[in-house]
Amino acid sequence: MRHVPRSLVLAIGVAVSLGACQAAPAPGAQDDHAAAATEAATQSAAAPADAHAGHAGETVAVTALPDGQRWETDAPLRAGMRNLREATETLNHYEMGHLDDVQRDNAVAKIDAAIKDMIANCKLKPEADAALHGLLTKFIAGANAARAGKFGKAELAPMQEALAQYPQLFDDHDWSEAAN
């Protein structure tokens, strides 16, 4: 078996357990997520997206409410998204050549921590969780690319798109103010 770096194990575990943010998981569901994360972490790190793809069916495939309504947010979601925005801005500067690899790695660590915190602490309806899931996968992919030293505009663009989609999907009254 190949040695898998701890940071990649965390990213795989986060990717596998994204559905854990739901408000009321079925009894034993958390155990299932933990088991899946452990299993994925022990497999080859070559395809974390593949490990996540098999898990994706556990969430509801809804992205928006009708008539321009938005999903409610909670404090962990709002804080996590602000941290993701800051980390994405850092990676934007890195992609332009303004920052070094240590600063890139710090941004990746901030993404990992934000996602882990949202999964552990946010309490969303399953449909809102599914909408969030669609956004978080873009940050996970970008962080994995940066971690592998393969981060560029192609990896940055989906992260920026997810940040633009967030206020369209979620009612975060301070989001526009936080950007200034």
Side-chain angles (χ1 to χ4, degrees):
M1 181 167 85
R2 239 170 71 171
H3 171 72
V4 179
R6 185 171 193 269
S7 58
L8 195 49
V9 170
L10 174 63
I12 293 168
V14 167
V16 170
S17 65
L18 270 175
C21 184
Q22 296 176 0
Q30 293 291 51
D31 296 336
D32 291 344
H33 285 288
T38 302
E39 180 180 335
T42 59
Q43 295 174 354
S44 171
D50 292 343
H52 184 247
H55 181 74
E58 291 184 20
T59 60
V60 179
V62 175
T63 56
L65 290 168
D67 301 323
Q69 297 175 8
R70 298 178 291 167
W71 297 109
E72 290 183 32
T73 60
D74 59 12
L77 172 58
R78 292 187 298 269
M81 289 305 296
R82 278 161 186 69
N83 286 332
L84 290 175
R85 180 169 47 194
E86 290 172 13
T88 301
E89 185 59 29
T90 299
L91 289 175
N92 182 39
H93 288 289
Y94 172 78
E95 192 279 323
M96 289 189 264
H98 299 157
L99 304 176
D100 62 23
D101 289 349
V102 170
Q103 292 164 308
R104 175 204 63 204
D105 293 345
N106 290 339
V108 168
K110 190 170 194 167
I111 290 169
D112 292 342
I115 292 172
K116 182 179 177 183
D117 185 66
M118 283 188 277
I119 289 169
N121 298 305
C122 73
K123 304 294 182 211
L124 300 176
K125 294 179 180 179
E127 296 86 359
D129 183 64
L132 177 61
H133 180 166
L135 300 179
L136 295 183
T137 58
K138 296 174 183 182
F139 296 103
I140 292 168
N144 285 338
R147 200 177 342 271
K150 299 177 181 178
F151 188 83
K153 289 181 183 182
E155 293 74 28
L156 178 64
M159 297 169 75
Q160 293 172 325
E161 290 168 13
L163 291 171
Q165 289 174 331
Y166 170 68
Q168 296 168 2
L169 297 172
F170 291 90
D171 186 14
D172 183 341
H173 55 279
D174 293 327
W175 182 254
S176 61
E177 295 173 23
N180 296 328

